[in-house]
Amino acid sequence: VTTSEFDALHPYLYLINSSRALSSDPQVPALAPDDPKLSWFLPERLGGLSNAAFAELLPRTTVSFEAPVQFDQLDPTQQAFVNILLDSWMSAEKWQNLLCVLLGTAGTGKTTTLKCALQLLTQRGMQKYVVAAYTGVAAVNIGMSAITLHELFQLHKTVATSPGHLQPLSDVEMDAFLERMDGAQLLVVDEVSLLSKLFLKQMHDRLVEWRMATNRHDLASLPFGGLAVILAGDFGQLPPIANPASWS
């Protein structure tokens, strides 16, 4: 909680009732003083977990409370988008050439539509998809284990003498990228309004590098290395962070 958030809450503190969980309550078991779980909340210098250890532990202890999105909960336009994806999934040729744009202002259900589509595609045999966004805040908001595009594609590795051109990944970086992309059949990108033409080209170049590293030369000549891509967002929001000459 930030200072400003606490200050905003302060006048209403009397409404918050503190309570003590009873050790006899089976829903809230008491922890012994030497329970290792207590170290999860301590800084490393006081015997707590390191950042790396906590990051490894988190996926194994986090429980998702999101309810599945039902297809009949979508409006006709959203259902039509999902049906386009499901129809394309039935054809290998259509799928490797799939480039979709999902647009809508805030609150119109873009994330809900994507979650429903991914659930149905998974039920139909899709084994892996990758979700990414331009900013970390958007990645957190969209969920689905999303990460930032810069982290995914290592876009900080540009050629100093030729701005915009990417350096090839090192062997260690490529191994990490291969592990992250192994088996990926779909890339979902949020905040499309922030992506310039140059940014999209960098994504394409990195995916081509991935295809070449995995000996899929047949797909390297296709847009985004033949990986199905969904670009979601709202062009009425923030424009690309780049010079106007590189805007789409």
Side-chain angles (χ1 to χ4, degrees):
V1 179
T2 64
T3 302
S4 59
E5 289 171 335
F6 182 84
D7 290 342
L9 176 65
H10 182 69
Y12 307 99
L13 286 178
Y14 71 94
L15 296 176
I16 302 175
N17 296 321
S18 61
S19 60
R20 190 181 191 86
L22 299 176
S23 60
S24 59
D25 185 347
Q27 300 301 318
V28 188
L31 296 179
D34 59 347
D35 194 303
K37 293 187 180 68
L38 294 176
S39 67
W40 299 357
F41 308 99
L42 294 175
E44 187 175 1
R45 68 178 187 278
L46 298 179
L49 297 177
S50 65
N51 290 338
F54 187 79
E56 181 182 354
L57 174 71
L58 193 59
R60 293 187 279 119
T61 57
T62 302
V63 179
S64 174
F65 294 97
E66 293 187 28
V69 179
Q70 302 300 322
F71 181 77
D72 56 11
Q73 293 176 320
L74 305 181
D75 68 30
T77 303
Q78 295 167 335
Q79 291 181 354
F81 180 83
V82 174
N83 281 329
I84 289 173
L85 298 181
L86 297 180
D87 177 67
S88 299
W89 176 250
M90 302 303 295
S91 166
E93 182 178 358
K94 282 185 178 180
W95 190 254
Q96 71 181 20
N97 289 285
L98 179 73
L99 300 172
C100 281
V101 179
L102 176 62
L103 302 177
T105 56
T108 53
K110 297 186 297 296
T111 300
T112 300
T113 303
L114 286 172
K115 288 182 178 180
C116 180
L118 294 175
Q119 288 169 9
L120 293 175
L121 287 168
T122 301
Q123 292 173 9
R124 285 160 173 74
M126 176 177 286
Q127 297 181 355
K128 184 174 181 179
Y129 53 83
V130 177
V131 183
Y134 190 90
T135 65
V137 172
V140 171
N141 288 339
I142 196 173
M144 297 180 283
S145 301
I147 61 174
T148 66
L149 289 165
H150 284 81
E151 179 185 358
L152 175 62
F153 293 115
Q154 297 293 298
L155 297 183
H156 64 281
K157 291 178 61 66
T158 56
V159 180
T161 57
S162 182
H165 288 78
L166 295 176
Q167 296 179 17
L169 297 175
S170 67
D171 291 343
V172 173
E173 291 168 335
M174 178 55 75
D175 287 343
F177 189 57
L178 292 178
E179 182 178 357
R180 177 163 277 167
M181 296 297 295
D182 183 41
Q185 298 163 293
L186 173 66
L187 171 65
V188 179
V189 178
D190 195 20
E191 292 187 317
V192 64
S193 68
L194 287 168
L195 308 186
S196 65
K197 291 186 292 184
L198 177 59
F199 201 101
L200 291 169
K201 179 185 181 301
Q202 291 175 332
M203 290 170 49
H204 165 80
D205 290 345
R206 196 63 90 201
L207 289 170
V208 169
E209 186 180 355
W210 165 54
R211 291 302 195 189
M212 297 297 288
T214 54
N215 294 318
R216 292 304 308 269
H217 298 194
D218 56 319
L219 298 176
S221 61
L222 297 175
F224 299 107
L227 181 64
V229 175
I230 300 174
L231 302 175
D234 175 14
F235 283 115
Q237 296 186 25
L238 295 174
I241 302 175
N243 294 324
S246 70
W247 292 3
S248 300

